Amino acid sequence: MPEPITKGLIVHSVNIQLMSVVNTVNNVRLPPSSRRVLILLEDGKPRTFKEVTEEVDIAPRTIRYAIKKLKESGLIIEKFNFKDARQVLYQTKKAIASEETQTATAA
């Protein structure tokens, strides 16, 4: 006798709930490209756009969109690059906060 159809529907709804958890960071829905860039920047090291494109194997246009979404959601910021003023550095806000805490405790 075949299994009831509702069993497959229940599993499907669970999968949708799991996907929505995976697709959000701090209750912000992010595209997969933004998640990959965010994971790269989570180590706290500031990176230029060129460095991000070299380390994440995604098209530069897609990375530009990913960075735009991350900035709009407030997860990363742009910093002035003192070594080369033509480029900006991207870094997570968490990394900035930890740098400020270390600087305050060192002083």
Side-chain angles (χ1 to χ4, degrees), residues 28-80:
V28 177
R29 292 189 62 84
L30 295 173
S33 58
S34 294
R35 288 193 313 270
R36 288 184 59 188
V37 171
L38 185 61
I39 289 169
L40 173 69
L41 294 174
E42 291 255 318
D43 68 357
K45 179 183 170 193
R47 289 179 174 80
T48 63
F49 179 79
K50 183 178 180 182
E51 291 171 333
V52 172
T53 57
E54 289 171 353
E55 294 183 44
V56 179
D57 191 28
I58 302 176
R61 186 175 185 179
T62 306
I63 291 176
R64 194 170 311 282
Y65 176 78
I67 288 173
K68 176 185 168 193
K69 289 296 182 185
L70 289 168
K71 286 191 307 185
E72 287 174 354
S73 63
L75 295 170
I76 65 169
I77 61 166
E78 288 184 356
K79 291 175 56 177
F80 184 77

Side-chain angles (χ1 to χ4, degrees), residues 3-14:
E3 293 187 29
I5 295 174
T6 57
K7 183 177 180 184
L9 293 175
I10 293 169
V11 171
H12 183 67
S13 67
V14 170

